[in-house]
Amino acid sequence: MLKIDNLTVKAADKTILENFNLEINDGEIHVLMGPNGAGKSTICKTLMHHPDYQIFKGKIEYNDQDITDYTPTLMGKLGFFLLNQNPVEIEGVTNAELIRNVLSEQKGEKIDIFEFNKKLNKVCEIINLPKEFVHRSINFNMSGGEKKKNELLHLFMLEPKFIILDEVDSGLDIDALKIVGTSLAKYYEMYKPSILIVTHHADILKYFDDFKVHIINDKKIVKNGDKELINAIEIKGFEASIINGNEDNE
Ligand code: ADP
Ligand code: MG
């Protein structure tokens, strides 16, 4: 279980999150929505311990372990995976090289190349990615849709337990959205990870049966709900959804 307790986060001396609370049980899917600039990407990057974000107050616990002061490397080892809104390009390092290195680091042993290649091929089929992508530089010269699929290649290979999706659906056409949505649903069915989905659109959510919904506004979560809340947001927008019926606020 992930427990974010009363977190205050600063970047460049500016308070971006204040008294932010969120609990996510193992295997649960949580959706975080809110206006631009509310702090959605900030909580995603703070969870991965991005060095630009300083935890000023509060605590993050995972399975009763205090991880407030962890590093990105330790978060990766713990099984956390962030799929960024704009995946970073790394020219000169291929997907296969990076994934093999990370896996051998995680397992503390050499990777069986035969099994590794077999799995790469299988994953490429699941996510509909041409096999030559395995030997391309990470996200380098790829289109928006290809980058998201390329990140899914890493996800399926590394088998994270906790997935953070920061606007995974942004910039995807209908066909790419379908591949990303069905691949993520398949991953969920296979491994039952916890997932935090940051999105502006309900489209990606139709690939998941059950999830909790949180609205973030002005540095903190202001409303909690379930699927029904998505319908209200789609019809009334964020502001009206936040103002009307605050009974289940934290
Ligand atoms: P969202 O993802 O909800 O659109 P962000 O978390 O990216 O919002 O940003 C929230 C606010 O914090 C914005 O006003 C943004 O300009 C500011 N912010 C985010 N990252 C930084 C940073 N590294 N340095 C300074 N300000 C930042
Ligand atoms: Mg953002």
Side-chain angles (χ1 to χ4, degrees):
M1 180 201 200
L2 176 79
K3 193 169 174 212
I4 305 173
D5 184 18
N6 229 11
L7 213 63
T8 294
V9 174
K10 291 187 179 186
D13 267 345
K14 178 181 156 189
T15 302
I16 303 179
L17 297 173
E18 202 163 25
N19 302 325
F20 185 98
N21 291 292
L22 183 62
E23 285 185 13
I24 300 180
N25 285 315
D26 290 351
E28 280 182 357
I29 300 174
H30 288 239
V31 178
L32 182 63
M33 300 181 103
N36 283 328
K40 301 182 299 296
S41 294
T42 297
I43 191 61
C44 295
K45 288 188 260 187
T46 302
L47 278 174
M48 295 308 289
H49 293 273
H50 188 295
D52 285 356
Y53 299 88
Q54 188 206 346
I55 297 174
F56 195 71
K57 211 184 80 190
K59 198 157 83 170
I60 310 175
E61 279 180 14
Y62 184 60
N63 295 340
D64 297 324
Q65 204 176 335
D66 189 338
I67 59 166
T68 318
D69 295 325
Y70 267 39
T71 60
T73 308
L74 282 172
M75 292 308 290
K77 281 198 172 157
L78 207 54
F80 278 64
F81 184 101
L82 167 64
L83 207 161
N84 253 312
Q85 195 166 348
N86 302 305
V88 62
E89 295 188 11
I90 310 175
E91 189 184 2
V93 182
T94 71
N95 281 316
E97 282 168 342
L98 180 82
I99 295 168
R100 210 174 62 218
N101 277 320
V102 174
L103 280 175
S104 92
E105 176 80 13
Q106 267 179 5
K107 298 191 169 146
E109 59 188 46
K110 272 197 125 186
I111 298 302
D112 180 330
I113 290 294
F114 179 75
E115 289 299 322
F116 179 73
N117 285 334
K118 209 165 99 183
K119 188 164 174 198
L120 274 175
N121 287 337
K122 198 175 130 204
V123 172
C124 283
E125 268 166 35
I126 294 175
I127 62 179
N128 198 20
L129 187 73
K131 292 203 174 80
E132 61 262 28
F133 272 68
V134 162
H135 302 294
R136 282 184 57 174
S137 288
I138 296 158
N139 296 325
F140 185 64
N141 280 344
M142 292 185 193
S143 72
E146 286 171 343
K147 279 183 188 169
K148 297 287 164 79
K149 284 201 238 168
N150 201 58
E151 294 285 291
L152 288 181
L153 172 69
H154 291 232
L155 182 128
F156 270 87
M157 291 304 293
L158 300 178
E159 298 180 10
K161 293 194 199 72
F162 198 108
I163 302 172
I164 303 164
L165 304 170
D166 191 3
E167 299 201 28
V168 66
D169 43 4
S170 78
L172 295 185
D173 62 31
I174 291 170
D175 294 341
L177 179 71
K178 192 171 173 194
I179 290 167
V180 169
T182 49
S183 303
L184 287 169
K186 175 137 201 197
Y187 187 91
Y188 183 70
E189 185 194 306
M190 286 166 75
Y191 299 101
K192 282 283 176 300
S194 305
I195 312 184
L196 176 62
I197 304 177
V198 171
T199 185
H200 280 295
H201 309 285
D203 294 350
I204 187 81
L205 304 178
K206 66 175 182 243
Y207 296 96
F208 303 98
D209 292 333
D210 192 26
F211 47 81
K212 299 201 159 67
V213 179
H214 313 278
I215 303 181
I216 177 173
N217 191 38
D218 195 19
K219 306 187 184 80
K220 58 171 151 314
I221 287 178
V222 291
K223 193 166 173 68
N224 299 293
D226 52 25
K227 268 181 161 177
E228 292 303 306
L229 185 53
I230 300 282
N231 298 334
I233 293 168
E234 291 246 292
I235 296 165
K236 297 188 283 186
F238 286 123
E239 289 220 3
S241 309
I242 296 164
I243 295 161
N244 293 331
N246 274 337
E247 68 285 347
D248 49 3
N249 271 3
E250 276 196 345

